[in-house]
Amino acid sequence: MAVVSSQLSVVINHQSTVNSQQSTVNSQQSTANSQQSTVNSQQFPLPIHNMRICFIGDSFVNGTCDPKCLGWTGRICAAACGQGHDITYYNLGIRGETSADIETRWFNEVSRRLPHYGDGRIVFSFGVNDTYRENEKNRIEVEKSIENARCILSSAQEIFPVLMVGPPPVIDADRTRRIANLSEQFSQVCNELNVPYLDVCTPLQNSDIWHKELTENDVSHPRAAGYAELAKIVHNWDGWKAWFKNINISDQETVTLFRAVGKKEMELIKESDFLAFPPRLSFQPTFYPVLHKAYAIQIARDWNTRDAASGYFGYVTRFRVATEFLKKYPVQNVGSSIHQEYWIPAEELAQFNQNIVGKIEIFAEYQP
């Protein structure tokens, strides 16, 4: 343990000399946590690009009656992950909800799950419950359904990329005609707003699997095979596939790096729309991105949270940099195997920022 403590001491001394930032930390506990984090990062390598998707809708979005608890949303996300994409997806389907219910809740749901610094997306799918007949009229009249859809989509597309998947058919023929009509109206709204729309009512009406699944279940919802059929339609849709073009950058093209920053530096990063790190101060001749998240966590958690200049906040940022650009900078080891970093001269930071691929992400946040 003396060797480990000595290595950590070297790291702390190194950071103090350069940034006037480091003070003594609990070496044994910090190093143990860092080593465990290193093990975890080796077992689960960090993805190249993370996309966060909110699926908002009704019971069909929820996947009601699917014994595998995947629905169509889980299946298309699993397929995308299988192709090498990294997705954080949120199933926000609520059984029985109408367009009016979704119009009321969607913004609060999304704002809690899609941070402005990340790659957030929204997929809406609703309408079947609007067509349910109560007292000889629809729960939500067609004109109101259209108004709700327009309000939802026009507001959402101002914040994030949006897709809409239309309502699927049921066994009841009269209700399915109402669903088909509503789907056509939704399609027109989406066309006016330039929101990609997928009609699933038409192809599913011609699907023997879909009809069999509904007939053998509750005449409204399918089971696993039916959701797989719907998932196949969405998975092969150009609107969905377009979200995954030109973002799956290989490890050979970029390097994922980390940096611990305090409160003030984070404010400046936010001002850049998470595209750049701020210039160094006069007494900071070098910029130090690190290669291991455990190292960045160690600094943010054990030093930034104790430092007044950092506002007693420690943020771990994660970002990707073009590999070709980094070739001219040797990797510097300043302690144990996790304490690796690049030394970027302050005058070359602007060029470094230009070679960041995508946005800077907040990976973790620490405070006393």
Side-chain angles (χ1 to χ4, degrees):
M1 201 63 191
V3 174
V4 175
S5 299
S6 175
Q7 289 173 330
L8 182 55
S9 177
V10 171
V11 176
I12 294 174
N13 290 336
H14 165 75
Q15 291 294 324
S16 298
T17 302
V18 177
N19 297 317
S20 298
Q21 292 182 333
Q22 285 279 16
S23 62
T24 303
V25 299
N26 187 325
S27 301
Q28 294 179 342
Q29 183 61 48
S30 298
T31 304
N33 290 340
S34 299
Q35 288 173 335
Q36 182 61 50
S37 297
T38 303
V39 171
N40 292 338
S41 65
Q42 290 171 347
Q43 292 174 340
F44 305 101
L46 286 167
I48 301 306
H49 179 97
N50 179 260
M51 181 186 293
R52 303 186 187 190
I53 307 174
C54 284
F55 293 87
I56 304 179
D58 49 27
S59 58
F60 293 97
V61 170
N62 171 263
T64 299
C65 295
D66 182 359
K68 295 187 177 181
C69 298
L70 289 171
W72 63 267
T73 61
R75 284 174 170 82
I76 63 172
C77 288
C81 289
Q83 295 173 341
H85 302 289
D86 178 63
I87 296 173
T88 300
Y89 92 97
Y90 301 96
N91 187 317
L92 302 174
I94 298 179
R95 190 169 187 174
E97 285 213 332
T98 65
S99 61
D101 298 315
I102 292 164
E103 195 276 331
T104 299
R105 73 175 171 95
W106 78 266
F107 180 77
N108 285 336
E109 297 270 25
V110 166
S111 60
R112 291 172 178 270
R113 293 168 174 85
L114 302 183
H116 63 281
Y117 55 79
D119 183 6
R121 313 289 175 108
I122 309 173
V123 180
F124 290 102
S125 184
F126 53 81
V128 172
N129 293 312
D130 289 29
T131 67
Y132 183 76
R133 301 289 285 181
E134 291 180 332
N135 300 320
E136 299 184 354
K137 64 178 183 179
N138 289 357
R139 282 184 66 188
I140 306 293
E141 293 295 345
V142 174
E143 294 75 14
K144 186 60 177 177
S145 296
I146 295 171
E147 180 184 331
N148 291 336
R150 189 184 302 278
C151 179
I152 292 167
L153 297 170
S154 59
S155 299
Q157 69 176 169
E158 293 180 0
I159 310 172
F160 294 106
V162 173
L163 299 177
M164 184 166 184
V165 175
V170 296
I171 292 299
D172 183 277
D174 289 337
R175 189 174 181 188
T176 292
R177 279 191 287 272
R178 296 195 296 273
I179 292 171
N181 175 62
L182 186 59
S183 178
E184 184 178 344
Q185 298 296 325
F186 284 166
S187 177
Q188 292 178 15
V189 170
C190 287
N191 185 57
E192 293 170 10
L193 297 175
N194 199 29
V195 171
Y197 182 81
L198 177 63
D199 167 30
V200 299
C201 187
T202 301
L204 289 177
Q205 285 186 80
N206 299 319
S207 168
D208 292 337
I209 294 175
W210 184 263
H211 280 276
K212 183 176 185 294
E213 287 277 290
L214 267 61
T215 300
E216 295 179 355
N217 192 35
D218 66 356
V219 306
S220 293
H221 301 93
R223 294 176 297 193
Y227 280 112
E229 189 80 352
L230 175 51
K232 186 189 306 180
I233 296 171
V234 181
H235 177 70
N236 292 320
W237 176 34
D238 288 342
W240 172 255
K241 292 192 290 186
W243 276 3
F244 302 96
K245 291 180 180 178
N246 304 319
I247 67 167
N248 190 28
I249 301 171
S250 70
D251 288 313
Q252 287 69 44
E253 295 173 336
T254 64
V255 174
T256 299
L257 298 177
F258 303 86
R259 175 169 170 78
V261 302
K263 196 170 186 178
K264 178 59 179 177
E265 186 167 352
M266 177 52 64
E267 291 173 355
L268 296 173
I269 292 171
K270 289 179 179 178
E271 288 179 8
S272 77
D273 194 24
F274 293 88
L275 294 174
F277 290 95
R280 299 286 80 199
L281 301 176
S282 59
F283 58 88
Q284 298 172 325
T286 310
F287 177 78
Y288 297 93
V290 306
L291 278 72
H292 296 279
K293 68 175 181 179
Y295 183 14
I297 288 172
Q298 194 176 75
I299 298 171
R301 182 192 61 211
D302 299 335
W303 183 80
N304 289 112
T305 58
R306 305 176 185 181
D307 175 51
S310 297
Y312 301 105
F313 271 80
Y315 298 90
V316 176
T317 63
R318 178 176 66 183
F319 50 96
R320 293 176 294 129
V321 179
T323 302
E324 189 65 29
F325 173 78
L326 290 173
K327 285 182 178 179
K328 60 182 177 180
Y329 302 102
V331 174
Q332 308 290 338
N333 188 296
V334 296
S336 73
S337 60
I338 70 164
H339 299 125
Q340 295 180 315
E341 57 191 30
Y342 286 104
W343 295 353
I344 311 298
E347 61 272 18
E348 297 176 22
L349 179 55
Q351 188 180 3
F352 178 91
N353 284 329
Q354 292 173 1
N355 282 274
I356 293 177
V357 179
K359 291 196 174 186
I360 300 166
E361 298 178 275
I362 299 176
F363 180 78
E365 178 180 330
Y366 298 92
Q367 53 184 305

